[in-house]
C-alpha cells in the first residue's frame, strides 16, 4: 500500500521558491525554548501523534513559531499515513481543488503551487477535482519539503502523567509499540497533540450484533480489504454517505454480481451546508459563541446529511446491477448456511458479503492509549441546552480554545491542559478548523499559538533570565567610541555597560 517517497520529486524551482517565501516571512522563527531532560531522558516540547494532514500541519505551524523540539509519530509505514492510499476509495477529493489547505499562509505550500509546478498551468486549469492519490503525494512532499521530523511505525499505546518538578508541571510519558517486533519505546514530552484522524477518539461504528459474525462475510468501510474477492458475489452495503457509494462503485468495478445499498434516510440531499460553514467568521468566531449559539449552529449542521460527491455519482451513473433502498434501516444480521440474512425495514434480505459504511463513533473507551486520561476528561452534558446538544455529544470531550482537554477532576487538570485533541471530534468545541482541508491551517496555527503560550509560561523563569542576559550589541564599541570621541563625552568602562540585575 505504501508509496515510496522518491516519487514526489518536484522541480527544484518550487522548493527554491518556498525557501525564498519563508525567508521573506522570516520563517521559521529562531528556536526560543531551552532543552530539558527528566531522569536522564530528553524531554520533547511537543509529541504529535499522527502524520496525516493535521499532524503535519501542526508540526509545520510549531516549527514556524520556533518550536522545533518536536517529533511526529505515526503507526503506519511510510506512505500509508491517513486514508488516502489505504481505505479511501473515492477517485477524487470532494473539496474544491484551490483550497489553501495546510499551506499556513505560504503560497508555495499550497496544493495549487505544487501541482502547477509538476504539471503546468494548462493541466491545473483542466483539473476538476484533486485525484485522491495525487493529494496523498502532495502531503508526502509537504512533509519532505518542510523536513518535518516524522517517525513511522510508532503506535502510541499509553499516555501517563509524570510529575516533573523542575519543569514547572507534569509531563507526559508516552509508550510506543515500534516496528513489527513488539519493541517498546518511551518518550517524554511536555505537550501531546493527538492528530489521530476521524477515529482518533473512538473507532468504526459497528453494531454489536455484527461484531460476532464470521469475519469472512463482512467488513467496515474504514478497513483495508481486497475487493477482487467480491467478484460475482452479492454485496450489501449499509450506510448513505460517500464511503457507502465509493464502496459500491469499487465493488461493481471489481465484478460484484449485484450491489444493494440500504439507507436509513429517505433520499440524498443536494446541499452541502458544511461548505457554508467555512468563512472567516465561522473560523475565528465560532469558539467565542456562547453555548446556546454554538448549539444552534452545530445542531442544525449535525441534522443535515452530506450530498454524494459529484465524482462518485458520475462513477455510479451507468451501473445496471446497483440498487439503492431508501428508508430501510438494516438489522437482525445472522449467518445462515454461509449466507448473511438480515432485515431491511420490513423486508428480509440476504447477501454474500456485507460492507458497513456506518462511519465512526466517538468513544474514548475504544482507544487504549487514552485510558489513563479518560477518568479525568470532562464531556459535554448530553441533552444540555434543552436538547439542542445532540445525545451523541455525551461522548465528546470539552476542549479549550487551544484544543486541550478540559478536566473533570482537579488531578487531571495540569496534564490535560497539555494534551491537545486536533481531530475532527474537536468540531463541537472550536468549529470547523480541524479534521478536514478547509480550516486546517487556522486550526494548526491556533493550536501552535496555544502551545507556544503554555511553553513560555512553563519556562517563564528561564525566559526572564534569557531576556536579562541578552547581550547582542545593537551598536559596536567602535561606533560608540567614535560618538563619544566626537562629542567629547567620557567613555564609560565596558564592564558597566550591562546593568546589574535588580
Ligand atoms: C474517505 C475519506 C475521504 C475524505 N475526503 C475529504 C475531502 O474530500 N475533503 C476534505 O476536506 N476532507 C476529506 N476527508 C476528511 C479528512 O480530510 C481526512 O480524514 C484527513 O485524513 C484528516 O487528516 P488527519 O491528519 O486528521 O487524519 P488522518 O489523515 O487519518 O491521519 C491520522 C494518522 O494518525 C495515525 N494514528 C492513529 N492512531 C495512532 C496511534 N495510536 N499511534 C500512532 N499513530 C496513530 C494514523 O496512522 C494516521 O496516519 C476525507 C476522509 C475520508 C476518510
Amino acid at each position: 500500500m505504501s508509496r515510496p517517497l522518491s516519487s514526489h520529486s518536484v522541480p527544484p524551482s518550487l522548493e527554491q521558491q518556498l525557501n525564498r517565501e519563508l525567508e521573506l516571512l522570516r520563517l521559521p522563527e529562531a528556536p526560543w525554548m531551552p532543552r530539558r531532560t527528566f531522569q536522564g531522558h530528553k524531554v520533547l516540547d511537543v509529541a504529535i501523534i499522527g502524520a496525516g494532514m493535521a499532524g503535519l500541519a501542526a508540526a509545520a505551524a510549531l516549527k514556524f513559531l520556533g518550536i522545533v523540539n518536536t517529533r511526529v509519530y505515526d503507526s503506519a509505514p511510510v506512505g500509508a499515513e491517513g486514508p488516502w492510499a489505504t481505505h479511501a476509495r473515492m477517485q477524487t477529493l470532494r473539496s474544491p481543488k484551490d483550497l489553501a489547505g495546510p499551506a499556513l499562509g505560504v503560497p508555495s505550500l499550497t496544493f495549487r503551487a505544487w501541482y502547477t509546478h509538476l504539471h503546468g498551468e494548462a493541466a491545473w486549469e483542466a483539473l476538476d477535482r484533486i485525484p485522491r492519490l495525487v493529494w496523498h503525494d502532495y502531503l508526502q512532499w509537504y512533509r519532505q519539503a518542510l523536513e518535518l521530523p516524522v517517525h513511522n511505525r510508532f503506535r502510541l499505546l499509553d499516555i501517563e502523567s509524570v510529575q516533573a518538578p523542575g519543569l514547572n508541571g507534569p509531563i507526559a510519558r508516552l509508550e510506543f509499540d515500534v516496528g513489527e517486533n513488539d519493541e517498546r519505546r518511551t518518550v517524554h514530552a511536555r505537550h501531546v497533540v493527538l492528530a489521530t484522524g476521524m477515529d482518533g477518539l473512538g473507532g468504526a461504528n459497528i453494531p454489536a450484533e455484527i461484531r460476532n459474525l464470521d469475519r469472512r462475510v463482512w467488513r467496515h468501510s474504514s478497513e483495508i480489504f481486497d475487493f477482487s474477492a467480491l467478484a460475482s458475489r452479492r454485496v450489501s452495503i449499509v450506510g448513505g454517505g460517500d464511503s457507502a457509494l465509493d464502496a459500491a462503485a469499487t465493488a461493481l468495478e471489481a465484478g460484484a454480481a449485484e450491489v444493494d445499498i440500504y439507507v436509513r434516510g429517505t433520499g440524498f440531499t443536494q446541499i452541502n451546508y458544511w461548505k457554508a460553514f467555512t468563512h472567516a467568521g465561522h473560523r475565528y468566531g465560532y469558539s467565542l459563541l456562547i453555548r446556546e449559539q454554538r448549539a444552534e449552529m452545530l445542531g442544525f449542521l449535525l441534522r443535515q446529511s452530506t450530498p454524494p460527491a459529484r465524482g462518485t455519482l458520475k462513477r455510479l451513473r451507468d451501473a445496471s446491477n446497483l440498487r439503492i433502498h431508501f428508508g430501510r434501516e438494516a438489522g437482525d444480521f445472522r449467518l445462515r448456511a454461509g449466507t448473511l440474512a438480515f432485515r431491511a425495514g420490513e423486508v428480509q434480505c440476504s447477501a454474500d458479503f456485507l460492507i458497513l459504511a456506518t462511519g465512526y463513533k466517538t468513544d474514548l473507551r475504544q482507544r487504549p492509549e487514552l485510558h489513563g486520561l479518560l477518568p479525568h476528561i470532562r464531556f459535554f452534558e448530553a441533552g444540555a441546552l434543552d436538547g439542542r446538544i445532540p445525545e451523541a455529544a455525551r461522548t465528546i470531550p470539552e476542549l479549550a480554545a487551544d484544543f486541550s482537554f478540559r478536566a473533570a477532576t482537579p488531578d487531571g487538570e495540569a496534564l490535560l491542559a497539555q494534551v491537545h485533541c486536533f481531530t475532527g471530534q474537536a468540531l463541537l468545541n472550536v468549529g470547523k478548523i480541524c479534521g478536514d482541508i478547509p480550516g486546517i491551517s487556522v486550526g494548526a496555527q491556533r493550536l501552535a499559538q496555544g502551545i507556544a503560550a503554555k511553553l513560555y509560561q512553563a519556562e517563564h523563569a528561564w525566559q526572564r533570565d534569557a531576556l536579562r542576559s541578552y547581550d547582542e550589541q545593537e551598536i559596536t564599541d567602535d561606533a560608540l567610541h567614535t560618538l563619544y570621541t566626537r562629542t567629547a563625552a567620557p567613555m564609560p568602562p565596558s564592564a558597566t555597560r550591562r546593568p546589574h540585575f535588580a
Side-chain angles (χ1 to χ4, degrees):
M1 272 295 166
S2 52
R3 298 161 58 81
L5 276 179
S6 61
S7 67
H8 321 300
S9 55
V10 293
S13 58
L14 179 60
E15 284 163 19
Q16 284 157 353
Q17 191 179 309
L18 170 62
N19 293 335
R20 177 73 185 137
E21 286 167 9
L22 293 178
E23 199 186 320
L24 292 172
L25 294 165
R26 286 174 61 106
L27 292 175
E29 280 194 35
W32 47 272
M33 276 288 290
R35 298 280 169 136
R36 298 292 188 196
T37 59
F38 173 71
Q39 296 177 344
H41 302 285
K42 285 195 184 118
V43 177
L44 294 174
D45 288 329
V46 191
I48 299 168
I49 314 302
M53 173 184 64
L56 296 178
L62 288 162
K63 184 173 183 173
F64 286 177
L65 292 185
I67 301 171
V68 291
N69 183 16
T70 64
R71 294 288 180 282
V72 186
Y73 299 99
D74 200 299
S75 51
V78 175
E81 306 85 356
W84 317 108
T86 52
H87 64 265
R89 296 183 188 91
M90 74 283 184
Q91 290 175 333
T92 63
L93 267 56
R94 142 196 300 285
S95 305
K97 65 179 182 179
D98 55 356
L99 290 178
L104 303 171
V106 181
S108 290
L109 279 179
T110 58
F111 173 83
R112 180 172 183 168
W114 175 81
Y115 189 86
T116 312
H117 258 86
L118 265 179
H119 304 292
E121 274 301 335
W124 169 256
E125 291 310 325
L127 184 71
D128 174 30
R129 296 279 158 142
I130 303 173
R132 167 172 58 86
L133 294 177
V134 174
W135 176 255
H136 185 68
D137 285 353
Y138 157 71
L139 291 175
Q140 299 285 318
W141 168 77
Y142 180 98
R143 151 190 175 156
Q144 244 187 340
L146 293 172
E147 296 170 351
L148 300 174
V150 180
H151 294 253
N152 281 86
R153 294 186 186 279
F154 272 67
R155 172 178 299 285
L156 178 67
L157 297 175
D158 187 38
I159 307 176
E160 193 195 337
S161 175
V162 181
Q163 289 310 318
L167 298 181
N168 282 334
I171 58 172
R173 178 184 287 138
L174 308 175
E175 193 184 349
F176 289 95
D177 173 12
V178 179
E180 286 162 1
N181 310 321
D182 232 9
E183 182 200 337
R184 292 287 183 269
R185 197 87 55 86
T186 301
V187 168
H188 293 82
R190 289 173 186 257
H191 287 256
V192 181
V193 173
L194 299 172
T196 42
M198 291 174 98
D199 60 348
L201 294 191
N205 181 15
I206 301 172
E209 63 173 332
I210 293 186
R211 270 184 203 285
N212 310 323
L213 285 179
D214 185 332
R215 287 290 274 152
R216 284 172 296 177
V217 296
W218 72 275
R219 285 289 189 277
H220 187 270
S221 60
S222 64
E223 295 182 86
I224 302 170
F225 60 99
D226 179 6
F227 271 66
S228 67
L230 302 181
S232 317
R233 298 178 81 186
R234 296 171 308 137
V235 177
S236 284
I237 300 176
V238 173
D242 266 338
S243 48
L245 298 174
D246 291 328
T250 313
L252 290 166
E253 286 153 13
E258 56 191 48
V259 174
D260 287 276
I261 304 181
Y262 297 93
V263 185
R264 246 193 316 229
T266 53
F268 290 131
T269 59
Q270 291 167 274
I271 299 173
N272 182 356
Y273 289 94
W274 290 99
K275 276 175 81 176
F277 189 55
T278 56
H279 62 59
H282 289 306
R283 293 201 304 275
Y284 294 104
Y286 173 86
S287 60
L288 300 180
L289 295 179
I290 57 171
R291 299 183 109 214
E292 287 76 6
Q293 294 165 332
R294 280 195 264 163
E296 269 163 1
M297 288 273 187
L298 222 66
F300 168 76
L301 285 164
L302 290 172
R303 283 193 296 278
Q304 317 305 320
S305 55
T306 310
R310 285 197 319 234
T312 308
L313 283 190
K314 229 188 279 171
R315 209 170 153 196
L316 291 170
R317 190 178 42 210
D318 306 326
S320 57
N321 45 358
L322 167 69
R323 285 179 297 272
I324 303 181
H325 310 271
F326 290 107
R328 304 269 288 276
E329 175 136 19
D332 295 347
F333 291 91
R334 58 222 177 275
L335 213 48
R336 201 179 285 150
T339 296
L340 199 69
F342 60 97
R343 175 190 47 69
E346 302 313 310
V347 183
Q348 290 304 322
C349 310
S350 70
D352 301 323
F353 194 83
L354 171 71
I355 301 175
L356 284 176
T358 46
Y360 301 94
K361 206 171 161 189
T362 302
D363 177 3
L364 275 69
R365 292 166 303 176
Q366 292 191 34
R367 302 298 295 203
E369 70 266 35
L370 303 177
H371 284 180
L373 305 180
L374 191 49
H376 305 289
I377 290 177
R378 191 159 94 202
F379 292 90
F380 272 92
E381 302 127 43
L385 305 166
D386 51 22
R388 273 176 292 170
I389 295 259
E391 192 57 32
R394 176 189 294 280
T395 61
I396 297 182
E398 285 210 37
L399 306 175
D402 67 357
F403 297 87
S404 58
F405 287 99
R406 290 200 186 281
T409 66
D411 295 3
E413 228 156 65
L415 183 76
L416 286 178
Q418 295 165 212
V419 182
H420 309 258
C421 167
F422 194 41
T423 72
Q425 283 92 350
L427 174 72
L428 194 55
N429 292 276
V430 297
K432 210 149 182 30
I433 55 170
C434 51
D436 63 11
I437 301 170
I440 201 72
S441 277
V442 173
Q445 286 162 329
R446 185 172 304 166
L447 171 79
Q449 288 155 7
I451 292 176
K454 285 180 175 172
L455 287 172
Y456 177 77
Q457 213 181 3
E459 287 286 357
H460 80 279
W462 188 90
Q463 297 296 340
R464 175 203 59 210
D465 295 346
L467 186 63
R468 289 179 173 173
S469 61
Y470 179 70
D471 62 0
E472 185 190 318
Q473 291 185 341
E474 205 53 34
I475 51 175
T476 62
D477 283 356
D478 293 353
L480 213 53
H481 185 70
T482 315
L483 178 75
Y484 288 135
T485 317
R486 291 261 173 76
T487 59
M491 171 76 170
S494 60
T496 61
R497 229 192 337 272
R498 243 192 289 171
H500 296 294
F501 288 151

